[in-house]
Amino acid sequence: MSLDQIVQTLGLPGVVLGTALEGEGVAFLAGIFAHRGLFHFEAAALAAACGAVITDNVMFAIGRFAGQTRLARKILDHQRVSGLRDMVQRHQTKAILGFRFVYGLKTVAPVLIANSPVSWARFAALDAMAVLVWAHLFVGIGFVVGTAIEQLFGEMKLELHVAIAAGLFLAVAGGTW
């Protein structure tokens, strides 16, 4: 089965599941696929946003309902975490809108926010706004990179196109990290 067939078989539900499990890399690939005409750009961005919203709300639920256990309290009260927790509580709106854009906070921030006085409805609304921006950004980067690769190397098989794009993504992500 070719990559084209796999992408067409999994479709946008695959983007939702992929971004729920991984995030940026899948959203970036969705942009490459949108560039290649396998998805509409906006549909790819909305699918990526749905996956990210699911993950954020699951992590919030874990923080809200499991955050009161003895093990969770021990972790949340740890010196390194408590400073971040205090900052999140002082700047709730900024924390909700910004955590998705800070590498390493995507999983832990919703748990910390859930242990603050923020209501789930407020978290969900602010998170949805941030996730829409995030999804459009990463799908857009994938789309632009896909266009640039095609302009540099001409039309090529999807597998090679994705391999070059993934290499560039990993090089930039590694350099940034």
Side-chain angles (χ1 to χ4, degrees):
M1 186 178 254
S2 73
L3 184 57
D4 282 323
Q5 292 170 320
I6 293 170
V7 171
Q8 289 173 348
T9 300
L10 295 175
L12 294 170
V15 174
V16 172
L17 180 62
T19 52
L21 296 174
E22 192 281 322
E24 287 85 359
V26 174
F28 175 81
L29 288 175
I32 299 288
F33 300 147
H35 160 74
R36 293 292 296 246
L38 296 171
F39 302 137
H40 184 273
F41 177 88
E42 194 61 32
L46 291 175
C50 284
V53 163
I54 289 168
T55 298
D56 293 351
N57 280 278
V58 165
M59 296 310 296
F60 187 91
I62 289 169
R64 182 61 49 101
F65 299 115
Q68 303 309 317
T69 64
R70 190 166 40 184
L71 175 62
R73 293 284 13 127
K74 184 176 180 181
I75 293 169
L76 291 170
D77 291 339
H78 188 276
Q79 185 179 3
R80 287 183 175 170
V81 176
S82 65
L84 182 59
R85 185 190 67 223
D86 294 343
M87 186 184 73
V88 163
Q89 289 187 2
R90 280 193 314 273
H91 306 285
Q92 294 170 358
T93 302
K94 290 177 186 175
I96 296 168
L97 292 173
F99 77 83
R100 175 149 290 283
F101 299 94
V102 179
Y103 186 78
L105 291 183
K106 192 168 49 175
T107 305
V108 71
V111 174
L112 291 174
I113 294 166
N115 280 276
S116 74
V118 172
S119 72
W120 199 336
R122 182 165 184 250
F123 171 81
L126 290 170
D127 181 60
M129 288 189 288
V131 163
L132 282 170
V133 172
W134 170 89
H136 282 85
L137 175 68
F138 278 91
V139 171
I141 290 170
F143 194 95
V144 168
V145 167
T147 303
I149 289 170
E150 188 174 298
Q151 288 179 348
L152 287 171
F153 302 110
E155 195 170 320
M156 61 184 75
K157 291 187 79 166
L158 181 61
E159 290 83 358
L160 182 58
H161 199 149
V162 168
I164 293 169
L168 287 171
F169 182 84
L170 291 173
V172 169
T176 302
W177 185 76

